[in-house]
Amino acid sequence: MHTLPQLPYSYDALEPYFDAMTMEIHHSKHHQAYIDKLNEALNGSGLEDKSIEELLRDLKDVPDSIRVAVQNHGGGHYNHSLFWESLTPAGSTENTMSTGLSDKLTETFGSIEKMKEDFKKTALSRFGSGWAWIVKKDTGELAIISTANQDSPLSENMSPILGLDVWEHAYYLKYQNKRADFVDAFWNLVNWQKVEKRLG
Ligand code: MN
């Protein structure tokens, strides 16, 4: 059985950038619903003991009858778990980028500002619901991409380094239609220490 991970901070810890009510609904209702539906789909499939990473990496091995459910609800579970861990209160130690990470990202994207610009463009051009990501491809190369719905980069042979949920439920209460303001706010909350660990 997959279970809802506890947040490593309180619902109001990301104020004023991410408001407490959105965080609470997003975590306790939306994320929980993905988990409930994933467990329901897996029940009796023989795949109950597989990790969520294994399920999504080897989506083609999941039986036809539940593949879409695992893609959507399993992806929802994995993506949100990674998202919560990618966040930290503004101004915390984890919110500070090390020189090593800054150099690496600058080398890849030209500059940190350029990286944020590309990421924002990608987040804004996702029509409807989905995610913006910084991923590591199987070649080791870093890239900024977007996925639709709850599709996970894991299912496309990529390792997510940083992800932003751009479904309206992630920002509508505070930002309404202004997805761009939500993306700008996100940078104040990134757990750069986690990002650096994922880079390996
Ligand atoms: Mn979400």
Side-chain angles (χ1 to χ4, degrees), residues 93-104:
T93 314
E94 292 79 15
N95 187 219
T96 308
M97 204 186 283
S98 74
T99 311
L101 179 60
S102 171
D103 287 351
K104 168 107 188 157

Side-chain angles (χ1 to χ4, degrees), residues 14 22 37 60 89 103 127 148 150 160 184:
L14 308 181
T22 299
K37 287 177 184 155
K60 60 183 185 323
D103 287 351
F127 182 74
Q150 292 298 350
D184 290 340

Side-chain angles (χ1 to χ4, degrees), residues 26 30 34 80 131 150 165 167 169-170:
H26 201 175
H30 289 277
Y34 292 119
H80 284 86
W131 290 74
Q150 292 298 350
D165 187 346
W167 284 54
H169 69 228

